[in-house]
Amino acid sequence: QVQLVESGGGLVKPGGSLRLSCVASGFTFSDYYMSWIRQAPGKGLEWVSYISSSGSTIYYADSVKGRFTISRDNAKNSLYLQMNSLRVEDTAVYYCARGRGGNSGWDYWGQGTLVTVSS
Amino acid sequence: QSALTQPASVSGSPGQSITISCTGTSSDVGVYNYVSWYQQHPGKAPQLMIYKVSNRPSGVPDRFSGSKSGNTASLTISGLQAEDEADYYCSSYTTSSTPVFGGGTKLTVL
């Protein structure tokens, strides 16, 4: 069965960095677009970034552009999010999600990893 | 890209039908049939309920249906059940080649 398992979250000071990972199993990872989507405590969902199946196409939300970098290693069935210059407002649960294809949403989500940015 | 507009809350009694609206613009909902809906129970990851406006993934009950008119998409849940109580989010692809979410709607089953 499809599984997405995130890791790498934790407590970091403003201005710090963190690298999130998402390991996929149960499907051919290299065939799918992947996204990072976050949810601040008590708030709604916010799309963060997506990467195409080959890694050649990448987009970011304006709120993270220039600070976050998405990448993937298809040989390791893994998705990453390098987060630099973290701000208090980046505090959220970060989900990795599989793109359903054709811009038609995300059909599988991980359980999420909590990132807390605080001094 | 501004968030899509959803009502903050809706409620209904068991067995009734409710509809949640999702209003966007001619740069997202109005121009693409790439609207999806997600259900999220407290402490859980979101689950895809509807994709491409009105399509249900396998395993989603046919009580859930989606539609779109102009810049507004809608999710209808008929025969409301207690387990439908959750937060619901819409999402749409946009002319910026990025997706956008709605602010979310809390459904209360009375």
Side-chain angles (χ1 to χ4, degrees):
Chain A
Q1 72 282 20
V2 172
Q3 275 198 309
L4 298 170
V5 180
E6 303 96 335
S7 62
L11 175 63
V12 62
K13 288 181 167 51
S17 297
L18 215 51
R19 189 194 195 207
L20 306 184
S21 299
C22 171
V23 177
S25 60
F27 66 102
T28 304
F29 181 71
S30 58
D31 283 349
Y32 290 86
Y33 275 56
M34 297 294 296
S35 282
W36 287 100
I37 295 162
R38 69 184 180 183
Q39 187 170 35
K43 302 296 185 182
L45 300 172
E46 179 188 15
W47 170 78
V48 173
S49 179
Y50 76 69
I51 185 169
S52 62
S53 53
S54 66
S56 60
T57 299
I58 287 173
Y59 280 90
Y60 299 99
D62 288 343
S63 57
V64 307
K65 203 173 295 182
R67 300 187 299 122
F68 290 12
T69 302
I70 191 172
S71 62
R72 65 191 296 161
D73 185 335
N74 287 342
K76 294 183 178 179
N77 291 340
S78 293
L79 175 72
Y80 306 102
L81 186 68
Q82 177 67 42
M83 304 185 296
N84 298 331
S85 303
L86 282 161
R87 305 167 179 168
V88 171
E89 56 265 34
D90 294 319
T91 294
V93 173
Y94 285 73
Y95 296 101
C96 78
R98 188 181 85 166
R100 206 194 155 279
N103 306 311
S104 57
W106 304 274
D107 55 0
Y108 287 94
W109 298 59
Q111 84 289 351
T113 186
L114 176 63
V115 172
T116 302
V117 185
S118 174
S119 54
Chain B
Q1 188 71 38
S2 298
L4 306 174
T5 301
Q6 298 181 233
S9 64
V10 297
S11 62
S13 300
Q16 287 186 331
S17 293
I18 63 96
T19 296
I20 299 172
S21 61
C22 170
T23 301
T25 69
S26 56
S27 296
D28 39 63
V29 176
V31 70
Y32 294 115
N33 286 326
Y34 291 135
V35 176
S36 51
W37 289 90
Y38 303 86
Q39 177 192 67
Q40 186 180 34
H41 288 109
K44 301 294 187 183
Q47 177 186 351
L48 178 66
M49 304 303 283
I50 296 287
Y51 66 94
K52 287 185 180 178
V53 175
S54 59
N55 294 274
R56 272 179 289 107
S58 61
V60 173
D62 59 7
R63 302 184 294 104
F64 291 83
S65 62
S67 62
K68 190 187 89 166
S69 177
N71 294 339
T72 299
S74 298
L75 173 71
T76 297
I77 309 174
S78 58
L80 210 54
Q81 298 182 5
E83 60 259 35
D84 298 333
E85 184 163 295
D87 293 326
Y88 290 84
Y89 296 90
C90 62
S91 177
S92 176
Y93 189 65
T94 76
T95 54
S96 300
S97 299
T98 58
V100 63
F101 281 101
T105 298
K106 181 177 180 58
L107 169 62
T108 300
V109 180
L110 302 170

